């Protein structure tokens, strides 16, 4: 009788774990694997690029060497001292959060991955980099921290520090630009597109009287890359988050912008998934940045993704293993430092 009771107790204890294990083995998860592509064009992107320009990605997760990367996305580029610098999100599997990585190039065709240049205890993405008065700034997405932070390079391009809190709230993909001696910023929050203006990036930001500009339209609300100001023309790029997040990118022309008024008109849908089974950007594209090289050439960087259906258990184990490896490396590094002292 005691033996039977003991068996029942063991079974009662183990059974929930058995069901949990079976559930984890059978559970599937869909993961977006993002990559980055750089190409040249003779103008701002107003229509869909030819398939040949987007054939193969320029930068993939496998190019990242200092952290275990699940994907790379949200690229932004800037030119300095005859060199090109690309900042982008890396999803670090060891912490399950985004960090900001850097790649460099001399010609815009061959890119070299450098290293992670910005990491916080909250998720980072969308590293909107720009220059003002010989200073380099970055506004990464920091919605997990509940505010929009402006970073300034203390040693460009590798060292960054918080210079100013621009906004309080869970805004995403904040996109800054200068027009007619004033600074403007578009940012999305709760399915609404907001607009702010200021005299300086580190100044006080005031919400525009027409803000929010758009509400409850997931096709055109969330910013999707750098706002381009060229010859007094302003173009904003927006993510189309339907039928799924990261589905496509549309471009709008801002036709009237003052402290009191705002008007725009849609130009085109310019980037979307190919739907071809083997393509790196099969399931969507959601970010674009463009750098004017000269009057007849632009350097364009975009991202795209393919959805992969993975076993949840093995996907989770990959992250746990990555975390353990990182902890071991830190332990070894700390021990080595102690020995050398």
């Amino acid at each position: 009788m005691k033996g039977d009771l003991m068996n029942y107790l063991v079974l009662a204890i183990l059974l929930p774990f058995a069901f949990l294990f079976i559930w984890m083995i059978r559970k599937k998860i869909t993961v977006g694997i993002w990559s980055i592509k750089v190409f040249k064009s003779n103008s701002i992107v107003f229509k869909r690029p030819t398939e040949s320009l987007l054939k193969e990605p320029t930068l993939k997760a496998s190019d990242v060497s200092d952290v275990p990367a699940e994907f790379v996305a949200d690229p932004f580029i800037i030119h300095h001292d005859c060199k090109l610098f690309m900042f982008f999100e890396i999803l670090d599997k060891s912490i399950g959060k985004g960090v900001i990585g850097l790649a460099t190039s001399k010609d815009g065709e061959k890119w070299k991955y450098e290293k992670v240049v910005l990491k916080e205890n909250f998720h980072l993405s969308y590293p909107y980099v720009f220059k003002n008065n010989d200073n380099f700034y970055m506004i990464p997405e920091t919605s997990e921290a509940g505010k929009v932070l402006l970073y300034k390079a203390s040693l460009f391009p590798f060292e960054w520090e918080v210079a100013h809190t621009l906004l309080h709230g869970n805004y995403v993909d904040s996109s800054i630009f200068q027009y007619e001696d004033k600074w403007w910023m578009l940012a999305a929050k709760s399915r609404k597109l907001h607009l702010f203006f200021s005299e300086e990036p580190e100044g006080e930001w005031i919400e525009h009287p027409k803000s929010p500009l758009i509400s409850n339209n997931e096709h055109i609300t969330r910013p999707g890359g750098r706002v381009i100001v060229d010859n007094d023309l302003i173009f904003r790029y927006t993510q189309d988050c339907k039928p799924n997040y990261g589905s496509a990118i549309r471009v709008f022309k801002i036709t009237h912008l003052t402290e009191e008024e705002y008007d725009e008109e849609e130009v085109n849908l310019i980037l979307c998934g190919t739907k071809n089974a083997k393509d790196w950007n099969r399931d969507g594209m959601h970010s674009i940045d463009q750098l004017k090289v000269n009057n007849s050439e632009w350097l364009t960087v975009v991202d795209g993704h393919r959805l992969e259906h993975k076993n949840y258990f093995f996907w989770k184990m990959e992250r746990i293993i990555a975390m353990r490896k990182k902890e071991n490396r830190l332990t070894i590094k700390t021990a080595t430092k102690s020995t050398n002292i």
Side-chain angles (χ1 to χ4, degrees):
M1 181 68 72
K2 287 185 179 181
D4 290 339
L5 183 59
M6 185 62 69
N7 289 336
Y8 286 134
L9 287 173
V10 171
L11 187 61
I13 293 170
L14 294 180
L15 200 56
F17 291 99
F19 280 123
L20 178 61
F21 180 74
I22 293 170
W23 174 79
M24 290 183 67
I25 289 292
R26 289 183 175 180
K27 185 181 179 182
K28 303 292 182 182
I29 185 171
T30 301
V31 180
I33 304 301
W34 294 84
S35 300
I36 292 169
K37 176 65 179 179
V38 183
F39 63 90
K40 293 179 180 179
S41 60
N42 56 14
S43 70
I44 300 172
V45 177
F46 293 122
K47 60 182 181 179
R48 296 188 192 185
T50 60
E51 288 188 12
S52 60
L53 287 176
L54 300 175
K55 191 172 182 180
E56 296 292 337
T58 303
L59 194 70
K60 307 183 295 296
S62 58
D63 295 311
V64 176
S65 55
D66 53 347
V67 296
E70 187 160 281
F71 62 72
V72 293
D74 291 348
F76 287 89
I77 50 178
I78 196 166
H79 185 264
H80 178 61
D81 284 347
C82 300
K83 198 171 185 180
L84 292 160
F85 300 85
M86 182 201 303
F87 298 87
F88 53 94
E89 175 196 354
I90 303 170
L91 198 288
D92 183 348
K93 289 193 286 189
S94 68
I95 58 176
K97 296 182 184 296
V99 297
I100 305 304
L102 171 69
T104 58
S105 175
K106 293 181 179 180
D107 58 9
E109 295 181 5
K110 295 180 180 179
W111 289 84
K112 176 189 175 186
Y113 175 74
E114 299 289 346
K115 64 177 184 177
V116 171
V117 296
L118 183 59
K119 179 182 175 181
E120 298 282 16
N121 59 6
F122 45 83
H123 177 78
L124 296 171
S125 61
Y126 202 80
Y128 200 114
V129 61
F130 64 100
K131 188 177 181 180
N132 182 45
N133 294 333
D134 296 323
N135 291 312
F136 291 93
Y137 293 94
M138 183 193 299
I139 306 177
E141 184 197 303
T142 55
S143 62
E144 194 172 283
K147 49 192 171 182
V148 178
L149 297 173
L150 176 69
Y151 289 77
K152 182 188 286 188
S154 54
L155 181 63
F156 184 84
F158 298 110
E159 296 180 13
W160 300 82
E161 57 188 25
V162 175
H164 191 55
T165 298
L166 304 182
L167 301 171
H168 290 276
N170 302 108
Y171 293 93
V172 297
D173 300 342
S174 301
S175 301
I176 194 171
F177 62 101
Q178 191 174 22
Y179 176 69
E180 293 190 345
D181 298 323
K182 196 170 294 294
W183 288 86
W184 309 82
M185 185 166 58
L186 293 162
K189 179 185 176 185
S190 303
R191 300 169 63 194
K192 296 178 181 179
L193 179 62
H194 295 261
L195 176 63
F196 304 86
F197 59 87
S198 177
E199 297 299 323
E200 290 292 337
E202 294 187 57
E204 179 187 2
W205 285 85
I206 301 168
E207 186 155 14
H208 195 279
K210 296 287 187 179
S211 181
L213 305 175
I214 304 166
S215 298
N216 301 321
N217 187 341
E218 294 184 67
H219 291 287
I220 60 173
T221 300
R222 186 165 178 164
R226 188 181 303 275
V227 178
I228 301 296
V229 180
D230 186 50
N231 295 325
D232 291 326
L233 299 175
I234 314 171
F235 299 93
R236 78 170 183 96
Y237 293 80
T238 179
Q239 299 182 41
D240 189 336
C241 295
K242 290 291 186 178
N244 55 271
Y245 172 74
S247 179
I249 299 176
R250 299 176 183 272
V251 58
F252 281 75
K253 180 181 177 181
I254 299 175
T255 56
H256 191 197
L257 178 61
T258 68
E259 291 183 24
E260 294 81 29
E261 300 296 329
Y262 180 94
D263 289 298
E264 67 178 18
E265 59 186 32
E266 184 168 1
V267 178
N268 211 348
L269 186 150
I270 58 165
L271 293 167
C272 59
T274 66
K275 308 306 178 186
N276 295 326
K278 295 182 180 180
D279 287 352
W280 65 278
N281 57 340
R282 177 188 66 197
D283 294 304
M285 306 183 75
H286 85 338
S287 184
I288 180 171
D289 190 16
Q290 299 167 92
L291 176 68
K292 192 172 188 177
V293 179
N294 53 54
N295 288 331
S296 60
E297 187 177 62
W298 289 75
L299 189 66
T300 301
V301 57
V302 299
D303 66 6
H305 77 292
R306 55 183 294 128
L307 296 173
E308 294 188 359
H309 305 290
K310 298 188 174 186
N311 179 281
Y312 176 80
F313 176 77
F314 293 110
W315 173 82
K316 192 68 175 178
M317 287 302 298
E318 281 182 5
R319 292 200 164 188
I320 292 172
I321 291 169
M323 182 179 63
R324 292 286 182 258
K325 285 183 177 179
K326 181 179 180 180
E327 289 174 351
N328 290 337
R329 286 196 298 269
L330 289 174
T331 301
I332 293 170
K333 187 175 181 179
T334 302
T336 303
K337 283 184 177 180
S338 299
T339 303
N340 294 333
I341 293 175

